[in-house]
Amino acid sequence: MEEKLLIKAVRENARIPIRATEGSAGMDLYACIDEPVTIKPGDLVMIPTGIAIELPSANYVAYLFARSGLGIKHGICLSNGVGVVDSDYRGEVCVGLCNVSNKEYTIEPFERVAQMVISPVSLMPVMEVKELSDTERGTGGFGSTGKQ
């Protein structure tokens, strides 16, 4: 049986996300708001999308990412970096946005505010150990393998 992402409109005027092109990894999520929402510099807002989703199983997750145009042109990013919608969540998908620019930005009703990517999840068992195996890199991090 083919696995499917099930999407339910939880608000009357919700727009169901679709992929813009055959090669699009993500689906645009739309602001399901009745009036514009202005985000001042440094502000955090929660924007409802009007949809709830059901992933095929616990082997999948929905990630919410910023739209590159909003981030690059206007400094509007996801307030938590990347949103995670777990397979057992059935509530409305909302997008936390922040304004990292020095100018106000107004989200209009039905504006595309984020993109949602469905990805597989590895549900491997966790085992606590006293030691980890050695590697050439070891504990070097934060630029240890590249330009300083």
Side-chain angles (χ1 to χ4, degrees), residues 107-123:
I107 301 289
E108 299 292 337
F110 308 110
E111 182 173 348
R112 296 176 296 163
V113 292
Q115 54 184 323
M116 179 171 65
V117 175
I118 309 303
S119 290
V121 173
S122 176
L123 299 171

Side-chain angles (χ1 to χ4, degrees), residues 5-79:
L5 171 66
L6 304 179
I7 300 177
K8 175 184 174 183
V10 295
R11 293 177 188 249
E12 190 176 308
N13 55 350
R15 292 201 177 157
I16 302 302
I18 59 170
R19 286 178 180 78
T21 68
E22 215 175 275
S24 295
M27 297 167 261
D28 286 328
L29 296 176
Y30 299 88
C32 192
I33 52 179
D34 295 323
E35 53 191 45
V37 173
T38 298
I39 311 172
K40 294 178 181 168
D43 274 1
L44 305 172
V45 298
M46 186 70 75
I47 303 292
T49 66
I51 64 162
I53 66 170
E54 181 176 335
L55 294 159
S57 72
N59 294 316
Y60 293 92
V61 64
Y63 291 118
L64 308 183
F65 295 102
R67 294 197 69 249
S68 57
L70 282 179
I72 293 167
K73 294 176 185 174
H74 305 289
I76 303 301
C77 307
L78 268 63
S79 55

Side-chain angles (χ1 to χ4, degrees), residues 124-140:
M124 64 185 72
V126 176
M127 180 188 315
E128 183 179 6
V129 296
K130 299 284 183 198
E131 296 292 328
L132 300 175
S133 64
D134 287 331
T135 67
E136 184 178 331
R137 181 177 182 173
T139 59

